[in-house]
Amino acid sequence: MEGSSEPPLDAKAEVTTQLIDFQWKLGMAVSSDSCRSLKYPYIAVMLKVADHSGHVKNKSFEMTIPQFQNFYRQFKEIAAIIETV
């Protein structure tokens, strides 16, 4: 991801976490304590992952629609590459 301090991914590196479940929902922020009317959509993602020892953790995050569209484009690129392998 751009602007991230994360090291680049190494395809040869050992995978240490396994995706167990992936859930999402579309939400709409309609107001907050500082703004009467927000009306912006967002995507909430909930992941369930297991580490190498089998310990399961829940992770969640939210994305704006432009962030989700970028995420979707990247997954389409991955799918296209996988189809050629």
Side-chain angles (χ1 to χ4, degrees):
M1 293 191 160
E2 292 180 22
S4 174
S5 62
E6 297 283 327
L9 292 176
D10 179 359
K12 296 176 187 169
E14 184 178 329
V15 175
T16 59
T17 305
Q18 179 181 6
L19 179 63
I20 304 297
D21 190 30
F22 179 96
Q23 296 181 14
W24 65 274
K25 66 180 178 179
L26 176 63
M28 178 72 77
V30 292
S31 68
S32 74
D33 60 349
S34 63
C35 185
R36 268 196 122 147
S37 180
L38 295 173
K39 296 183 182 169
Y40 75 88
Y42 63 91
I43 306 295
V45 177
M46 291 76 59
L47 304 174
K48 188 177 283 190
V49 296
D51 65 19
H52 65 280
S53 67
H55 180 70
V56 177
K57 291 184 180 180
N58 294 312
K59 307 275 186 175
S60 62
F61 58 93
E62 293 179 354
M63 291 184 277
T64 63
I65 297 303
Q67 289 171 324
F68 174 76
Q69 289 168 333
N70 182 47
F71 178 79
Y72 176 70
R73 272 192 297 277
Q74 290 179 20
F75 266 82
K76 279 178 42 177
E77 290 174 17
I78 292 167
I81 292 169
I82 288 173
E83 287 181 9
T84 66
V85 176

